[in-house]
Amino acid sequence: MRRGIELCGIKLGSIFDDKAFTILNKEVIPGGDYMITVNSPSFIYDAYFKNINVLHTIGGNEISMVVADNGGGSSREDCMNIINQLNNDYLEKYGDYYDMYVSENDKECSYMYYFYPPNYNVVSFKNPKSLEINEPIMQLLLIANQETNNEYFTLEAALSYFEETEDNKSPE
């Protein structure tokens, strides 16, 4: 079962429907994707994020990334309170369906959440192709970036699929 993770009510991997959103801007970005700025799909997310962008390939409509920010002008403490609330929300909503791991860098105020489907690395002896039906690993980055020349922060979030690179691999 493909449950999917969402950010601002937009589920990663779902099909982007132009009619379901108020589109503020649509542009082609390097790499052959559309970046579409949408109005917040629900008022409940306004407390966290104001600017929401959805990415999908030009040839398809499957959402490959959701990026959001709070518009800036927040204190570090406010950003941390929102990050802590989002942490609780994601644990409550997805904790029973995914194995969640978090990597935090408190100095830079960044948190990377990884959502592994249960038994992600388990291959059935009876059906070796069972690994092919596994849902991909998803990741959520929450980061509070200090704005230039002042003490204010912008809270940013990016939800995407995890892509393992050579840098991510540990020596065996």
Side-chain angles (χ1 to χ4, degrees), residues 6-126:
E6 63 183 56
L7 176 64
C8 298
I10 302 170
K11 190 180 290 189
L12 192 64
S14 65
I15 300 302
F16 184 79
D17 180 7
D18 292 8
K19 296 174 185 77
F21 298 95
T22 304
I23 296 175
L24 303 175
N25 187 33
K26 184 175 184 177
E27 62 183 284
V28 177
I29 60 172
D33 291 333
Y34 280 122
M35 183 167 71
I36 304 161
T37 304
V38 298
N39 235 3
S40 180
S42 175
F43 70 91
I44 62 171
Y45 302 104
D46 288 345
Y48 299 145
F49 301 107
K50 300 200 180 336
N51 304 311
I52 302 168
N53 294 291
V54 177
L55 279 78
H56 69 76
T57 60
I58 291 174
N61 286 346
E62 183 177 324
I63 297 171
S64 60
M65 182 180 277
V66 181
V67 180
D69 70 66
N70 69 347
S74 299
S75 69
R76 187 178 199 277
E77 182 181 358
D78 289 344
C79 288
M80 289 307 301
N81 288 339
I82 293 170
I83 288 172
N84 289 330
Q85 183 59 51
L86 287 169
N87 177 69
N88 294 340
D89 293 348
Y90 276 93
L91 280 173
E92 183 178 319
K93 188 169 187 176
Y94 300 112
D96 292 340
Y97 304 101
Y98 291 92
D99 293 328
M100 292 174 58
Y101 300 94
V102 64
S103 169
E104 68 179 289
N105 182 335
D106 193 43
K107 183 178 177 188
E108 293 181 8
C109 200
S110 70
Y111 299 82
M112 180 68 83
Y113 292 82
Y114 299 94
F115 300 89
Y116 287 86
N119 299 320
Y120 180 77
N121 291 323
V122 176
V123 180
S124 168
F125 288 119
K126 293 180 181 177

